[in-house]
């Protein structure tokens, strides 16, 4: 039943996330692709810019009014882009609750990083999520908001500090997910507390025939720009739990910030492509360089065959005993570890044949990446990891 709930919530989160990202990307493109209206009457009526587009067998004519139309009433059929953001955050929060908080002892806590209780871990995770927005909101309302570059640098520095702190409190996987949840909360809260209320104020004034204050729109636009640069880092975090080489790296916080920076720069490039003038190819080149460096840094170590002829041969029975004690509670036909209805990724180590068939996977996950056992729930020791490594290397030499 738990797996069914996980599947349903995760599916809903992905669907609503696609809708939110799609709408966000579209409006960023639209906003940066506007041209001066060709019809002088449109300019007199308050049109700031327009764009003609063709799609789906038809033509579209989009116009942007900075402060609303001057010589005509506002259309009652006014579309609001908000529910995509709200449903994405609500489903994401629920997903964090049923996976990372309910299973905090498995996915959030790593006693080798910090020996904390489940309740403490949950409280810290929630603190980063909501505290992150409170700090971000304060910065956007401070004097720093007058200079977008300075504000961006300060936000990046604080986000980097958060990444460092999280990876020194939680397991790498839990740290990455809490980091993504923090950014996602900042994005959704900006929509709920700033963007939509500001737009409502503008609409109310427009309907009342009063002069529209541009300040709410300017504040909302700034938050929208930040949201588009947060998007790709959040998407990376959503898939990072499949790649232990990222979150389990010795310098995982730098890996996280490197990929986040690359994602933000990729968005900078694509946003600039929609703006009149030359696109910022330097941003894309920098992003590619960062990704190359990150990939090089986090690439799993090469499997080197042990050439020490004096090393005593490791009996398979020794390795099998370690696997049974440290791994088989999860990687079994019928797992006994709470929270696992089936073996992770379908890897089962019940028989000698199954263990030998997955020898490389075991070596990579337990020795090279040290990602397994997850959160080191079963307390595997360094000497046991070394024994598995020696067995694997000897096995490679003898072609067992």
């Amino acid at each position: 039943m738990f797996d069914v709930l996980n599947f349903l919530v995760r599916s809903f989160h992905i669907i609503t996330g696609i809708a939110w990202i799609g709408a966000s990307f579209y409006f960023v493109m639209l906003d940066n692709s506007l041209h001066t209206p060709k019809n002088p009457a449109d300019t007199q009526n308050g049109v700031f810019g327009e764009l003609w587009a063709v799609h789906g067998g038809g033509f579209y004519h989009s116009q942007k009014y900075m402060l609303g139309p001057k010589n005509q009433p506002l259309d009652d059929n006014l579309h609001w882009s908000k529910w995509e953001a709200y449903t994405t955050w609500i489903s994401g929060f629920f997903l964090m609750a049923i996976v990372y908080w309910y299973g905090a002892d498995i996915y959030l806590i790593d006693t080798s990083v910090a020996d904390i209780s489940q309740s403490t871990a949950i409280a810290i995770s929630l603190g980063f999520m909501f505290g992150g927005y409170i700090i971000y909101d304060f910065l956007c309302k401070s004097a720093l908001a007058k200079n977008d570059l300075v504000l961006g640098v300060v936000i990046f520095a604080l986000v980097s500090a958060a990444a460092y702190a999280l990876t020194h409190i939680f397991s790498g996987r839990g740290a990455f997910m809490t980091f993504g949840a923090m950014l996602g909360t900042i994005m959704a809260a900006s929509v709920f507390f700033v963007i939509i209320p500001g737009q409502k104020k503008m609409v109310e004034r427009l309907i009342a025939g009063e002069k529209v204050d541009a300040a709410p729109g300017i504040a909302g636009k700034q938050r929208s720009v930040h949201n588009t640069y947060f998007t790709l880092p959040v998407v990376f975090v959503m898939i990072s739990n499949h790649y232990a080489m990222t979150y389990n790296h010795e310098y995982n916080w730098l890996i996280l910030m490197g990929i986040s920076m690359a994602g933000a720069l990729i968005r900078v490039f694509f946003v600039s492509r929609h703006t009149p003038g030359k696109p910022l190819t330097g941003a894309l080149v920098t992003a590619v360089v960062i990704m190359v460096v990150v990939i090089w840094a986090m690439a799993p170590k090469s499997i080197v065959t042990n050439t020490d002829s004096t090393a005593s041969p490791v009996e398979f029975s020794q390795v099998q005993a370690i696997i049974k004690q440290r791994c088989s509670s999860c990687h079994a036909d019928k797992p006994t570890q709470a929270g696992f209805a089936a073996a992770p990724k379908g890897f089962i180590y019940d028989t000698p044949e199954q263990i030998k068939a997955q020898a490389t996977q075991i070596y990579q996950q337990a020795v090279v990446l040290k990602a397994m056992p997850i959160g080191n729930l079963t307390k595997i020791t360094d000497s046991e990891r070394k024994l598995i490594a020696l067995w694997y290397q000897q096995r490679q030499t003898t072609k067992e």
Side-chain angles (χ1 to χ4, degrees):
M1 185 62 189
F2 181 83
D3 283 348
V4 173
L5 180 63
N6 190 331
F7 167 74
L8 292 175
V9 175
R10 194 178 297 271
S11 298
F12 184 68
H13 183 59
I14 292 172
I15 292 168
T16 55
I18 291 172
W20 185 14
I21 293 170
S24 174
F25 280 15
Y26 172 75
F27 278 106
V28 168
M29 179 282 296
L30 181 62
D31 208 41
N32 286 279
S33 300
L34 297 173
H35 297 277
T36 302
K38 294 183 178 181
N39 187 345
D42 288 334
T43 303
Q44 294 173 5
N45 192 34
V47 176
F48 170 76
E50 64 182 2
L51 176 69
W52 281 90
V54 58
H55 183 76
F59 296 87
Y60 296 83
H61 185 205
S62 301
Q63 294 182 315
K64 179 176 182 178
Y65 298 78
M66 292 297 290
L67 302 177
K70 294 181 179 179
N71 303 318
Q72 67 185 60
L74 192 65
D75 194 330
D76 292 335
N77 188 25
L78 185 63
H79 174 77
W80 293 82
S81 294
K82 56 182 179 179
W83 289 110
E84 304 96 324
Y86 300 161
T87 52
T88 299
W89 186 85
I90 291 170
S91 58
F93 185 87
F94 193 27
L95 196 58
M96 280 289 292
I98 65 176
V99 177
Y100 287 89
W101 297 333
Y102 177 75
D105 56 330
I106 300 174
Y107 297 110
L108 198 58
I109 299 171
D110 185 341
T111 55
S112 66
V113 177
D115 192 2
I116 55 179
S117 67
Q118 187 166 342
S119 58
T120 299
I122 295 171
I124 293 173
S125 183
L126 285 167
F128 270 91
M129 283 179 59
F130 294 110
Y133 174 72
I134 292 172
I135 295 173
Y136 168 79
D137 184 61
F138 172 78
L139 292 173
C140 289
K141 292 177 179 177
S142 70
L144 291 174
K146 297 178 181 179
N147 189 314
D148 288 332
L149 179 60
V150 173
L151 177 62
V153 170
V154 172
I155 291 173
F156 180 79
L158 291 176
V159 166
S160 299
Y164 178 84
L166 285 168
T167 54
H168 287 74
I169 297 172
F170 300 137
S171 67
R173 183 170 175 172
F176 275 36
M177 282 300 160
T178 300
F179 178 87
M182 179 185 72
L183 293 187
T185 299
I186 289 173
M187 294 169 67
S190 290
V191 175
F192 184 79
F193 290 114
V194 178
I195 297 174
I196 295 301
Q199 291 174 344
K200 286 183 176 180
K201 289 179 181 178
M202 296 175 73
V203 170
E204 289 170 0
R205 283 179 171 268
L206 196 61
I207 293 176
E210 301 174 355
K211 183 178 180 180
V212 177
D213 184 7
I218 294 173
K221 174 65 183 297
Q222 185 180 59
R223 304 287 182 114
S224 293
V225 171
H226 291 168
N227 277 6
T228 201
Y229 296 140
F230 284 151
T231 300
L232 293 187
V234 172
V235 170
F236 158 69
V237 168
M238 289 174 66
I239 65 173
S240 66
N241 63 93
H242 296 287
Y243 304 99
M245 61 185 177
T246 60
Y247 63 76
N248 225 56
H249 192 276
E250 180 182 3
Y251 297 105
N252 49 9
W253 75 277
L254 285 175
I255 297 294
L256 175 58
M257 292 312 303
I259 295 178
S260 296
M261 184 187 296
L265 288 171
I266 289 171
R267 280 302 295 151
V268 168
F269 169 72
F270 278 102
V271 169
S272 71
R273 286 189 70 243
H274 304 303
T275 306
K278 293 184 178 180
L280 300 175
T281 53
L284 181 61
V285 171
T286 303
V288 171
V289 171
I290 291 173
M291 286 303 300
V292 169
V293 172
V294 168
I295 291 170
W296 172 81
M298 71 181 182
K301 300 174 184 177
S302 300
I303 299 173
V304 180
T305 302
N306 191 298
T307 57
D308 184 2
S309 59
T310 63
S312 302
V314 178
E315 298 294 334
F316 174 73
S317 58
Q318 296 174 271
V319 174
Q320 187 178 22
I322 296 173
I323 299 297
K324 183 177 181 180
Q325 182 180 7
R326 309 301 187 186
C327 309
S328 292
S329 59
C330 298
H331 291 281
D333 185 43
K334 295 181 180 180
T336 57
Q337 175 64 48
F340 290 87
K345 295 187 177 181
F347 294 135
I348 297 174
Y349 307 142
D350 287 339
T351 67
E353 291 74 21
Q354 290 170 332
I355 294 173
K356 292 176 182 179
Q358 298 298 330
T360 298
Q361 179 72 11
I362 293 171
Y363 175 71
Q364 287 289 339
Q365 295 295 321
V367 178
V368 178
L369 298 175
K370 293 186 178 179
M372 293 293 162
I374 188 168
N376 201 12
L377 282 171
T378 55
K379 310 297 183 184
I380 190 172
T381 65
D382 287 339
S383 60
E384 288 172 332
R385 294 186 195 273
K386 290 178 181 178
L387 194 66
I388 293 174
L390 186 57
W391 166 73
Y392 178 80
Q393 292 167 354
Q394 290 174 349
R395 186 173 185 271
Q396 292 296 99
T397 303
T398 59
K399 302 296 182 181
E400 181 186 343

